[in-house]
Amino acid sequence: MEEIYQYAWLIPVLPLVGAMLVGLGLISWNQVTNRLRQINAVFVVSLLGAAMFLSCALLWSQIQGHAPYTRTLEWAAAGNFHLNMGYTIDHLTALMLVIVTTVAFLVMVYTDGYMAHDPGYVRFYAYLSLFSSSMLGLVVSPNLVQIYIFWELVGMCSYLLVGFWYDRPSAADAAQKAFVVNRVGDFGLLLGILGLYWATGSFEFGEMGDRLQDLVQSGSISNFLAIVFAILVFLGPVAKSAQFPLHVWLPDAMEGPTPISALIHAATMVAAGVFLIARMYPIFEGVPAAMNVIAYTGAFTAFLGATIAITQNDIKKGLAYSTISQLGYMVMAMGIGSYSAGLFHLMTHAYFKAMLFLGSGSVIHGMEAVVGHDPSLAQDMRMMGGLRKYMPITAITFLIGCLAISGIPPFAGFWSKDEILGNAFAANPVLWAVGYLTAGITAFYMFRMYFSTFEGKFRGNETEIRHQLKSADAMAVAAGFKEPVPAFGPGAMDTRELAATHAGHDPHAHSEYPHESPWTMVLPLMLLAVPSMLVGLVGTPYANYFEEFIFPPSETLAEVAQKAAEFNQTEFFVMAGSSVGISLIGITLASLMYLQGKINPAAIAAKIKPLYELSLNKWYFDDIYDLAFVKGLRRLARQVMEVDFRVVDGAVNLTGFFTLISGEGLKYLENGRAQFYALIVFGAVLGLVILFGVT
Amino acid sequence: MNIANFPWLTTIILFPIAASLLIPILPDKDGKTVRWYSLIVGLIDFALIVYVFYSQYDFSNPDLQLVESYPWIPQLDLNWSVGVDGLSMPLVILTGFITTLATLAAWPVTLKPRLFYFLLLAMYGGQIAVFAVQDMLLFFLVWELELVPVYFLLSIWGGKKRQYAATKFILYTAGGSLFILVAALTMGFYGDTVTFDMRSLGLKDYALNFQLWVYAGFLIAYAVKLPIFPLHTWLPDAHGEATAPVHMLLAGILLKMGGYALIRMNAQMLPDAHAYFAPALVILGVVNIIYAALTSFAQRNLKRKIAYSSISHMGFVLIGIATFTDLGLNGAVLQMVSHGLIGASLFFLVGATYDRTHTLMLDEMGGVGQKMQKIFAMFTTCSMASLALPGMSGFVAELMIFVGFSNSDAYSPTFKIIVVFLMAVGVILTPIYLLSMLREIFYGAENKELISHEALIDAEPREVFIIACLLVPIIGIGLYPKMLTQVYDATTVQLTARLRDSVPSLAQQQVPTVSFRAPEIGVR
């Protein structure tokens, strides 16, 4: 067994090798590499497959009770400072490795179908592989600096992938927004790391936590400072896991191709924030004030995301806000000390949300056959409906995902969400109430999404709706709210298609009705449906294998077992029953509104117009940030430049001086005569020196 | 002749200069022989540098090595005295590397090729001399000599406003170097013995007041070169007008002369004054970082934008010099090398883009990513390196300066918190202006006007090769920084110890990284 630990470094390195080789091929032999489409894909996928196999072996070995393993190498040194890098394999790492590799593997298979017609097919695989490598490097990191390194690298991959279709201005904006907002979080993380290192002299999680506690207790560091450091570190997860107030980048990031939304912006990268909180648990645990901040941030974000998701019509945007909301649950769980439940939800969410996103990609792919490559039509749920008839597998897997996220037993989401809510109830009823309410809203918007997409009558050919959507889009463009989007979307990048759509006729809109996606897309959906249904069963309160495997570093297995033994069946039934109850209410409401049409949603929206507008405009966060930060910074920068040009340059140039003495002054200099004299003088001195030397 | 006694450094310095003198008599009709000749000379000299350091240089020795000294003008006590230690050695290698690549980058130059390559080779030797000479007067001479080729390279091959830029450059730098001369002379004549040898000068026991004056003089001269706010305004003009190869030299090497001299003279020879000036350096460094980043964001001219980003990055060097920690000083040297590589690559790419779009104004660009995919990819990579993405050299340097400064015991916690916070703000600003720049050049719908340009073709193999050569060390250092830092670590550690001795409050303490707790991590 020892060998697989010695070779565990291969897990992040294998995909890196794939990315580098394909990347080199693209740079050096672009045409050839691009022609070998599927050969590249198979190469990249099989390398990741090998990493997946190794990860599974490690998880199995960890379950068997192998001790944690760490290997490091001195990376940087200066005088007495030494910094090591390497990898560590423990329970948490092994679990994350398996989640990341399995989801990445399935997404890569899916990509083959989704990106089949895209000229950037090979480049996309190279990026995907690079991302997988960075993400795997992040989870095996043995210290905070290495986490920071990979933290930034996954951010860069996200930037590249969101901006993948770089001729769309909206994608370019979204990519930049994602990177910059994440940098704001990294700014906090960096300051937190520096502060903690200054205080504790270590970058290692466990050591940092112990020392910080000692320092606070002995009074050499004020409690306030400890809180500040912990909150600064938490800013990192706030940005990466899209928590309030830095959540604004995630919905925009949906401009990237759908496989990316599934892999990076739902299952893995955004969960890295939760992972970091888990890693830094020894620190946070000792700082209750920071834990409170984490819990309330998470709860508020969960509510915020859910309320915005209700009114979204773009299927991917809706799922994005749902991701924000679910990440809020995980962060809240971490904050109330429910370590195991938070990570359990991370795992279940990774599978069912990846499946939901891939399902939405499948829907978009099908819709494009009818409406053409136009994201404003192909992704809009008002154009869909009745797709179950045409895409049965997609519909069933999507339904499973909806049931899982809504917390209906025995699907995966039920067990994890219920555990969080149960622990929240014990910790703080206010947080529980927010989480409980959000659970109801979640069920409502997910089934709103399901019913309007897959049930009812197909609306894709109703020209009236189409015109309405197009003109709304055009109005937004004209009003300057939105950049004009070239009319082609996922799955197509050919410029000839672009020209064709502009001519008013889309050759790809060849069909009357959508069709089911190819097997490479459907197979991953079916495979992801299995964990979405069953993976929750490893963490039932009757036999919580998950909690026995993943528990906070400060607890021992015996304590965990003791807690599990205190399990109260009645209490569980009350809690679970009530949360299933509110979910069922949400589903019923959604079916009344969007399936049977007995309640008119438009009428309700008109009645509570301010609230409706608030949700539709995403609580106006984008507008406020644009006004306060984007425009503010631009103005500031322009002013600084003016100062630089007029004051600093002017003063040092002595422009005023020259103009006073003679208007000809500068012109004279520009003639080159002055410096010619200077050169002569200089040359004479030099000649003299050489002359002296010779004699 | 014994191989260890061979005058290696003198050969390295004089070989390109001697070779440049042959250029006027080379038989050459179409200008092609000259460029091959220069390239080969550059390569030979670079190979020589690498060989000599590989075989003759001892990393663990913090003192000067490969020392040669010949009397030149005994009346003036002027000696031809050269030598390298950990401070100069990485920069000498950098010079050889960047200058050789700049020769390759100058391939398309057709205007007066003989003069161009003559100046390029003359600069090659001159730049190495700046880093290697160990005599103050000689240092002043080569520092001045260095300006002449740059002046011509700017004023003959530059853009539209080249005369203005070249004049401004020469006035600023020549004006600044007067201070070097005055300071060097006063130092040389101070005390009982008259000497201009740097080591002897460093051993003299100066009065504090005297040190402060001399320090200020040097600081002005090097502040122009580095550059430091508010003496930086020649740089955007010079950079805005220079052609790509000259750009690479300006950003890659010339700016480093300021940083090097600041460490070599101000810190090493005048440590007592350094203790007084260090907080000012830190403040100036922070101003550099934020002020230049904001200005860069507002610039609409591509070259000026990158020029300001150089100024911003040099702020880190200043802070690193003023940390009084091993790590900070180490980071400052690393930042110089790293920026030398990254700055050169970015300026080269700006030049390559300009060759195709024929405009530097961002408002006129946009949507060229489709047609120039390789340039797009390389530009993105180099911008990422510049914004300190981990895995590349800039990140390691900035991280070392960050950790070094925040663990420095020479400053009060409040001061440190404010400075670290502002430095980190700079870290947010960098991606804002660099990514905006990328977005405005490459992203978006195709710009019909630009796309129709015949010149708008993707990168040719020569250009890919140059960038690849620059990226190998950038990524290599980023992945394993010890590779480079171990080369000069001994020298910087020794220098830090000397600097700490001069600060009364620190003299008794140990180096800060061990004063608190052992920082060893992860060793199991």
Side-chain angles (χ1 to χ4, degrees):
Chain A
M1 271 325 246
E2 206 55 37
E3 284 81 20
I4 60 163
Y5 284 91
Q6 275 163 19
Y7 287 101
W9 53 271
L10 279 172
I11 295 174
V13 168
L14 282 177
L16 180 68
V17 168
M20 274 176 32
L21 288 180
V22 175
L24 272 179
L26 277 175
I27 285 273
S28 318
W29 300 280
N30 192 295
Q31 308 254 312
V32 184
T33 315
N34 264 327
R35 221 173 298 135
L36 299 173
R37 292 167 84 84
Q38 274 173 333
I39 294 180
N40 281 306
V42 169
F43 174 64
V44 165
V45 173
S46 47
L47 282 177
L48 192 81
M52 179 171 76
F53 180 76
L54 258 175
S55 305
C56 292
L58 284 173
L59 179 65
W60 180 245
S61 154
Q62 286 290 317
I63 291 173
Q64 297 295 308
H66 193 287
Y69 182 93
T70 303
R71 230 173 114 185
T72 56
L73 172 90
E74 187 170 280
W75 183 69
N80 289 307
F81 173 87
H82 300 276
L83 178 57
N84 291 12
M85 296 285 162
Y87 62 91
T88 190
I89 308 288
D90 57 9
H91 289 189
L92 181 57
T93 303
L95 175 77
M96 289 298 290
L97 282 177
V98 170
I99 295 174
V100 173
T101 48
T102 45
V103 176
F105 184 81
L106 292 174
V107 166
M108 280 188 181
V109 173
Y110 177 93
T111 297
D112 174 65
Y114 193 79
M115 301 293 280
H117 305 296
D118 197 295
Y121 179 91
V122 178
R123 184 165 60 99
F124 193 74
Y125 270 103
Y127 287 172
L128 268 181
S129 198
L130 188 63
F131 168 77
S132 312
S133 169
S134 314
M135 188 66 211
L136 292 167
L138 176 81
V139 299
V140 300
S141 296
N143 63 56
L144 204 46
V145 175
Q146 194 176 336
I147 286 215
Y148 183 79
I149 288 177
F150 286 102
W151 187 266
E152 288 257 299
L153 285 177
V154 287
M156 180 216 43
C157 295
S158 162
Y159 168 79
L160 292 175
L161 284 160
V162 172
F164 184 77
W165 285 314
Y166 50 78
D167 43 4
R168 285 194 202 173
S170 51
D173 291 344
Q176 189 181 346
K177 187 174 178 183
F179 197 95
V180 172
V181 173
N182 270 299
R183 255 290 158 99
V184 175
D186 295 352
F187 155 87
L189 180 58
L190 178 67
L191 290 181
I193 293 175
L194 290 174
L196 286 171
Y197 180 71
W198 168 74
T200 64
S202 168
F203 286 123
E204 246 192 318
F205 315 111
E207 241 168 66
M208 270 178 155
D210 294 348
R211 288 181 185 172
L212 191 69
Q213 241 157 332
D214 290 350
L215 287 169
V216 171
Q217 270 162 14
S218 68
S220 32
I221 279 191
S222 71
N223 198 25
F224 174 74
L225 220 53
I227 296 170
V228 169
F229 291 156
I231 290 175
L232 281 172
V233 169
F234 176 58
L235 266 182
V238 167
K240 197 118 288 179
S241 291
Q243 299 296 295
F244 165 81
L246 298 178
H247 63 278
V248 289
W249 66 274
L250 187 61
D252 287 25
M254 295 301 125
E255 287 291 338
T258 308
I260 291 316
S261 313
L263 177 61
I264 301 188
H265 303 126
T268 57
M269 186 185 86
V270 290
V274 182
F275 170 76
L276 180 66
I277 302 177
R279 268 286 180 238
M280 296 292 285
Y281 207 70
I283 310 258
F284 290 127
E285 215 176 10
V287 191
M291 289 293 266
N292 278 332
V293 171
I294 295 175
Y296 281 101
T297 309
F300 181 72
T301 311
F303 181 70
L304 175 80
T307 53
I308 299 178
I310 297 180
T311 54
Q312 296 300 309
N313 285 319
D314 183 317
I315 186 168
K316 280 179 76 181
K317 286 262 165 77
L319 284 173
Y321 280 106
S322 145
T323 306
I324 293 177
S325 170
Q326 297 298 312
L327 288 165
Y329 272 111
M330 295 174 214
V331 171
M332 178 178 89
M334 287 295 171
I336 55 172
S338 174
Y339 179 93
S340 164
L343 289 167
F344 188 32
H345 197 56
L346 187 159
M347 177 172 81
T348 56
H349 176 259
Y351 288 113
F352 66 68
K353 187 50 79 58
M355 186 182 67
L356 284 169
F357 261 113
L358 293 183
S360 79
S362 176
V363 167
I364 295 166
H365 195 78
M367 284 297 289
E368 279 174 348
V370 183
V371 299
H373 298 296
D374 183 347
S376 67
L377 296 179
Q379 300 184 14
D380 200 297
M381 290 189 289
R382 284 168 290 185
M383 296 291 294
M384 300 174 186
L387 293 185
R388 187 161 53 90
K389 253 178 284 171
Y390 313 107
M391 321 177 73
I393 303 175
T394 307
I396 290 170
T397 51
F398 204 91
L399 179 63
I400 292 171
C402 288
L403 288 168
I405 197 172
S406 306
I408 304 298
F411 295 96
F414 166 74
W415 304 104
S416 50
K417 193 186 272 186
D418 192 65
E419 198 177 336
I420 293 177
L421 286 178
N423 289 338
F425 190 72
N428 185 339
V430 178
L431 292 174
W432 170 80
V434 176
Y436 182 73
L437 184 61
T438 306
I441 305 176
T442 307
F444 174 75
Y445 71 70
M446 283 315 293
F447 275 87
R448 166 179 177 263
M449 197 178 277
Y450 175 75
F451 289 137
S452 39
T453 307
F454 292 102
E455 301 295 339
K457 186 163 72 68
F458 183 61
R459 298 180 291 268
N461 293 317
E462 288 178 23
T463 43
E464 196 183 324
I465 301 177
R466 201 184 283 207
H467 280 301
Q468 209 181 326
L469 292 179
K470 285 307 291 178
S471 65
D473 201 40
M475 261 166 63
V477 172
F481 289 131
K482 209 174 152 192
E483 303 255 9
V485 184
F488 55 89
M493 268 265 295
D494 200 300
T495 39
R496 278 164 302 169
E497 283 175 9
L498 181 63
T501 10
H502 274 304
H505 169 74
D506 193 331
H508 269 253
H510 45 64
S511 151
E512 191 83 356
Y513 295 104
H515 56 74
E516 183 60 290
S517 301
W519 71 268
T520 43
M521 289 169 70
V522 174
L523 182 70
L525 285 179
M526 294 192 287
L527 288 177
L528 280 170
V530 177
S532 300
M533 283 189 285
L534 301 177
V535 82
L537 298 178
V538 302
T540 62
Y542 299 99
N544 203 333
Y545 301 112
F546 189 85
E547 196 157 347
E548 284 167 23
F549 186 61
I550 301 279
F551 49 85
S554 54
E555 283 179 26
T556 60
L557 190 58
E559 283 170 8
V560 175
Q562 198 194 341
K563 255 204 263 173
E566 288 164 11
F567 167 63
N568 183 336
Q569 186 141 7
T570 348
E571 205 180 303
F572 170 69
F573 276 128
V574 174
M575 289 304 298
S578 59
S579 60
V580 171
I582 194 162
S583 296
L584 288 177
I585 293 173
I587 295 173
T588 318
L589 261 177
S591 81
L592 286 175
M593 283 183 176
Y594 298 98
L595 184 64
Q596 299 165 1
K598 287 191 179 145
I599 305 176
N600 184 5
I604 298 179
K607 248 181 225 159
I608 48 163
K609 199 157 170 50
L611 283 177
Y612 175 74
E613 292 276 314
L614 182 71
S615 165
L616 192 67
N617 289 305
K618 307 147 194 175
W619 291 45
Y620 298 101
F621 274 111
D622 279 332
D623 309 74
I624 296 168
Y625 287 0
D626 187 60
L627 212 62
F629 299 119
V630 181
K631 296 226 169 78
L633 187 67
R634 286 219 179 107
R635 200 174 311 125
L636 178 67
R638 253 200 315 277
Q639 278 160 355
V640 170
M641 187 179 73
E642 286 291 308
V643 168
D644 188 62
F645 189 66
R646 293 189 200 288
V647 183
V648 181
D649 196 26
V652 186
N653 255 348
L654 294 177
T655 331
F657 178 74
F658 274 114
T659 29
L660 265 180
I661 301 296
S662 104
E664 300 289 300
L666 206 64
K667 209 198 266 177
Y668 183 68
L669 281 173
E670 280 184 33
N671 279 340
R673 256 176 274 165
Q675 67 267 30
F676 184 64
Y677 295 140
L679 281 178
I680 288 185
V681 173
F682 177 71
V685 172
L686 192 68
L688 218 65
V689 167
I690 294 171
L691 204 71
F692 263 118
V694 177
T695 51
Chain B
M1 183 181 268
N2 188 340
I3 198 158
N5 290 333
F6 187 78
W8 287 115
L9 280 175
T10 309
T11 316
I12 289 171
I13 294 168
L14 292 183
F15 174 65
I17 296 177
S20 72
L21 295 175
L22 287 178
I23 285 188
I25 55 165
L26 272 186
D28 181 15
K29 283 195 194 100
D30 48 5
K32 281 185 183 152
T33 324
V34 175
R35 63 190 193 194
W36 277 108
Y37 174 77
S38 309
L39 182 63
I40 289 166
V41 169
L43 277 174
I44 292 175
D45 209 39
F46 181 59
L48 205 60
I49 293 171
V50 173
Y51 166 73
V52 169
F53 288 151
Y54 177 73
S55 63
Q56 310 283 321
Y57 189 88
D58 176 16
F59 296 154
S60 54
N61 180 354
D63 296 315
L64 280 178
Q65 301 179 45
L66 297 158
V67 179
E68 301 157 31
S69 185
Y70 311 100
W72 192 354
I73 310 172
Q75 295 92 324
L76 286 178
D77 192 35
L78 181 62
N79 295 317
W80 172 263
S81 148
V82 289
V84 286
D85 62 1
L87 286 179
S88 36
M89 184 240 178
L91 294 169
V92 171
I93 301 178
L94 181 75
T95 307
F97 187 64
I98 300 283
T99 314
T100 310
L101 283 177
T103 319
L104 191 59
W107 227 235
V109 168
T110 48
L111 177 71
K112 299 188 192 169
R114 277 175 202 265
L115 184 57
F116 187 89
Y117 288 105
F118 168 76
L119 292 171
L120 215 56
L121 286 181
M123 248 182 111
Y124 199 146
Q127 285 164 334
I128 295 177
V130 169
F131 296 126
V133 293
Q134 298 299 328
D135 184 286
M136 272 311 285
L137 278 185
L138 200 58
F139 178 82
F140 171 72
L141 277 182
V142 288
W143 180 279
E144 286 286 286
L145 258 183
E146 187 52 48
L147 302 181
V148 181
V150 180
Y151 171 74
F152 283 117
L153 285 170
L154 270 177
S155 64
I156 300 179
W157 286 272
K160 284 184 195 114
K161 279 173 70 192
R162 56 179 183 263
Q163 284 297 335
Y164 172 76
T167 305
K168 204 169 177 182
F169 168 78
I170 203 101
L171 284 181
Y172 266 74
T173 357
S177 44
L178 276 184
F179 289 94
I180 306 183
L181 184 65
V182 173
L185 288 175
T186 49
M187 275 178 87
F189 287 109
Y190 187 88
D192 308 328
T193 49
V194 177
T195 177
F196 291 103
D197 181 65
M198 285 190 190
R199 269 173 299 175
S200 323
L201 284 177
L203 294 175
K204 277 193 184 176
D205 200 11
Y206 305 103
L208 180 62
N209 230 344
F210 177 82
Q211 283 204 23
L212 290 176
W213 278 106
V214 176
Y215 193 103
F218 280 137
L219 186 60
I220 291 173
Y222 305 142
V224 170
K225 201 80 178 180
L226 192 60
I228 302 175
F229 174 88
L231 299 174
H232 63 276
T233 49
W234 65 271
L235 185 130
D237 281 313
H239 280 206
E241 300 305 319
T243 48
V246 182
H247 240 147
M248 291 170 72
L249 295 177
L250 274 175
I253 305 160
L254 262 77
L255 302 189
K256 277 69 217 176
M257 287 162 51
Y260 163 77
L262 208 55
I263 301 177
R264 172 69 81 205
M265 277 147 224
N266 292 31
Q268 201 166 24
M269 293 182 190
L270 306 163
D272 298 329
H274 187 63
Y276 280 84
F277 270 97
L281 288 188
V282 171
I283 292 167
L284 285 173
V286 169
V287 171
N288 253 28
I289 292 173
I290 292 189
Y291 176 88
L294 283 173
T295 318
S296 175
F297 181 47
Q299 285 291 342
R300 306 303 300 154
N301 179 309
L302 191 52
K303 278 189 178 171
R304 295 178 75 94
K305 201 183 240 307
I306 306 281
Y308 274 102
S309 102
S310 282
I311 303 176
S312 177
H313 283 113
M314 285 296 112
F316 282 98
V317 175
L318 273 179
I319 295 173
I321 295 173
T323 53
F324 295 98
T325 58
D326 297 335
L327 200 59
L329 191 60
N330 214 311
V333 178
L334 189 61
Q335 173 77 346
M336 287 202 279
V337 176
S338 153
H339 179 267
L341 299 164
I342 297 168
S345 62
L346 271 179
F347 276 121
F348 175 70
L349 285 169
V350 169
T353 311
Y354 175 68
D355 287 344
R356 290 163 172 78
T357 57
H358 299 293
T359 175
L360 283 171
M361 303 314 288
L362 285 170
D363 302 315
E364 295 166 20
M365 296 194 195
V368 297
Q370 295 263 45
K371 271 268 183 93
M372 314 192 330
Q373 291 186 353
K374 283 180 197 167
I375 290 194
F376 183 20
M378 293 190 292
F379 221 132
T380 307
T381 317
C382 296
S383 303
M384 289 290 170
S386 183
L387 60 80
L389 187 81
M392 306 211 205
S393 56
F395 167 75
V396 186
E398 288 183 14
L399 182 74
M400 286 170 100
I401 294 169
F402 263 113
V403 179
F405 186 78
S406 57
N407 284 281
S408 168
D409 46 4
Y411 302 98
S412 73
T414 330
F415 183 70
K416 280 199 294 191
I417 288 170
I418 295 170
V419 169
V420 169
F421 178 82
L422 290 174
M423 279 162 81
V425 169
V427 171
I428 301 182
L429 292 175
T430 320
I432 293 181
Y433 67 76
L434 282 171
L435 298 185
S436 301
M437 174 192 79
L438 286 178
R439 181 168 51 82
E440 287 176 290
I441 304 174
F442 296 105
Y443 287 85
E446 288 189 331
N447 183 331
K448 291 282 179 305
E449 218 171 302
L450 283 180
I451 295 292
S452 56
H453 249 301
E454 274 179 34
L456 203 77
I457 45 165
D458 208 354
E460 47 179 300
R462 179 183 60 90
E463 292 167 329
V464 176
F465 177 76
I466 290 175
I467 292 298
C469 283
L470 287 164
L471 279 177
V472 166
I474 291 174
I475 295 175
I477 296 168
L479 291 180
Y480 190 52
K482 213 183 151 195
M483 186 173 72
L484 179 64
T485 56
Q486 65 185 5
V487 166
Y488 61 81
D489 191 44
T491 308
T492 50
V493 168
Q494 195 192 39
L495 179 55
T496 310
R498 188 178 148 87
L499 289 177
R500 295 178 65 80
D501 277 342
S502 66
V503 183
S505 63
L506 301 183
Q508 305 309 319
Q509 296 175 25
Q510 281 180 300
V511 182
T513 40
V514 284
S515 68
F516 200 84
R517 272 213 180 109
E520 289 276 342
I521 58 146
V523 189
R524 282 185 198 164

